[in-house]
Amino acid sequence: MLLDYQSILDTIHREVQPLLREGKVADYIPELSKVSPGRFGMAVYCLDGRTFSAGDADVKFSLQSITKLFALALAFSREGDVIWTRVGREPSGNPFNSLVQLEYERGIPRNPFINAGALVITDILATRFVQAEIAVLQFVRMLADEPAIDFDRIVAQSEQDTAHRNSAIAYFMKDFGNLHNPVASVIGSYCRQCSITMTCAELAKAGSFLAQHGTIPWSGMEILDASSAKRLNALMLTCGTYDAAGDFAYRVGLPAKSGVGGGILALMPGDASIAVWSPGLDATGNSLAGTYALERFTTLTARSIF
Ligand code: GLU
């Protein structure tokens, strides 16, 4: 049944207004703290080609950890299951930038969505491609059919200047033999990758292949086979929203990946992909208004994976 997502998005846009000043904009990357917490955008890309949007859906924002999903999809599509010898598939139960588990798990990160795991994926891409972050950028440009998508070099530099913890994680993994390229170049690639900016409308389109079982809906190009796409969806559900994936699944009921820029990409397999952005974060690091918006979306549409 075709639903009128536009009236649902308009309702949600109205409902989130009181929440927009409640979250806290990330400030550990200094450049990110300059974004106004009052922004809110949402876009739905239906697999039949219909699109819907509300609010600031055409304003670019910093993707940050959402790029980890695209980097993982690229690495998985090229390298296959061998990537799981270097990174796990379990929720970490720890903050996304934690070091502690790495010591007793001998440099193998719990999953590809915590920073340690994402750095391993960057390292895998750096071995395969001339420049890992360029490979990810070209990949998302192709997925969104938007050649103007780019890095934000000021955000990238801001993160690189303060990347002490990520560097520590990378050195730690190198000591365990789980980082093959030089730490400085992996960190540089990772910071540039995280700085990619997109609009909600672009992000929903770029993620739609994961809702369409691995195949880009508008071009028919297969990025991942259906089984691999299922596996990435499962990882998003269990590990994609920081240390709150259980609560996010309880509230929203969709696989999703969030980022400290305040964006969330959520998937309704076989139906649509949804991107939402609001930079104010809750205590777990997920967009406060964004999570609420997705919770309302699956409630009002009565659609989720459950
Ligand atoms: N570039 C950010 C970092 O490594 C990404 C964090 C995030 O969005 O979760 O700290």
Side-chain angles (χ1 to χ4, degrees):
M1 187 189 53
L2 290 181
L3 281 185
D4 178 10
Y5 289 130
Q6 191 57 53
S7 67
I8 289 170
L9 292 194
D10 292 340
T11 302
I12 292 170
H13 189 204
R14 266 195 314 278
E15 286 183 3
V16 296
Q17 295 307 313
L19 298 177
L20 297 187
R21 306 261 157 202
E22 276 187 27
K24 188 174 170 326
V25 177
D27 56 7
Y28 77 99
I29 298 173
E31 201 55 34
L32 288 184
S33 66
K34 298 181 180 166
V35 181
S36 160
R39 312 304 299 256
F40 175 85
M42 191 163 184
V44 177
Y45 187 90
C46 297
L47 300 183
D48 61 12
R50 292 174 305 139
T51 59
F52 302 93
S53 62
D56 299 317
D58 290 317
V59 177
K60 289 196 183 285
F61 63 93
S62 196
L63 243 50
Q64 293 299 319
S65 268
I66 301 172
T67 64
K68 292 174 181 171
L69 174 65
F70 295 110
L72 173 65
L74 181 59
F76 196 30
S77 73
R78 298 303 170 97
E79 306 287 336
D81 282 335
V82 74
I83 66 172
W84 305 122
T85 59
R86 294 182 55 192
V87 58
R89 301 188 296 260
E90 288 294 339
S92 73
N94 279 303
F96 70 100
N97 57 3
S98 171
L99 270 153
V100 288
Q101 238 161 18
L102 274 179
E103 171 134 45
Y104 55 83
E105 296 186 356
R106 306 204 53 77
I108 305 291
R110 275 287 175 102
N111 69 67
F113 293 147
I114 54 174
N115 285 8
L119 288 165
V120 167
I121 297 296
T122 299
D123 187 56
I124 290 170
L125 293 175
T127 299
R128 179 157 191 134
F129 297 98
V130 180
Q131 265 185 290
E133 75 279 24
I134 301 285
V136 175
L137 180 66
Q138 283 170 345
F139 186 53
V140 296
R141 283 176 174 169
M142 186 266 292
L143 292 171
D145 195 23
E146 184 43 81
I149 291 171
D150 211 345
F151 306 120
D152 180 329
R153 288 175 173 76
I154 297 173
V155 169
Q157 192 60 52
S158 180
E159 176 165 7
Q160 208 169 340
D161 291 344
T162 52
H164 315 303
R165 183 174 277 264
N166 282 337
S167 299
I169 290 171
Y171 277 114
F172 213 48
M173 293 194 297
K174 193 147 186 79
D175 191 59
F176 281 109
N178 199 17
L179 206 85
H180 301 168
N181 294 280
V183 166
S185 79
V186 172
I187 292 289
S189 288
Y190 171 80
C191 292
R192 284 189 289 279
Q193 170 201 302
C194 286
S195 82
I196 291 174
T197 62
M198 278 199 208
T199 69
C200 287
E202 291 166 346
L203 178 58
K205 188 170 181 179
S208 61
F209 77 101
L210 284 168
Q212 175 89 324
H213 312 297
T215 297
I216 298 178
W218 46 270
S219 72
M221 180 181 174
E222 184 181 283
I223 303 293
L224 293 167
D225 61 37
S227 168
S228 302
K230 173 192 74 179
R231 297 183 194 291
L232 291 203
N233 273 269
L235 271 173
M236 291 170 78
L237 185 74
T238 53
C239 310
T241 44
Y242 302 114
D243 202 12
D247 192 55
F248 189 93
Y250 177 84
R251 288 178 59 190
V252 176
L254 296 177
K257 182 72 202 90
S258 56
V260 290
I264 308 175
L265 171 66
L267 304 171
M268 292 204 293
D271 195 341
S273 58
I274 311 153
V276 61
W277 169 58
S278 185
L281 308 179
D282 63 19
T284 65
N286 294 307
S287 171
L288 189 143
T291 304
Y292 175 83
L294 289 168
E295 180 176 12
R296 291 297 290 148
F297 187 83
T298 50
T299 304
L300 293 170
T301 58
R303 288 182 179 189
S304 76
I305 63 166
F306 298 109

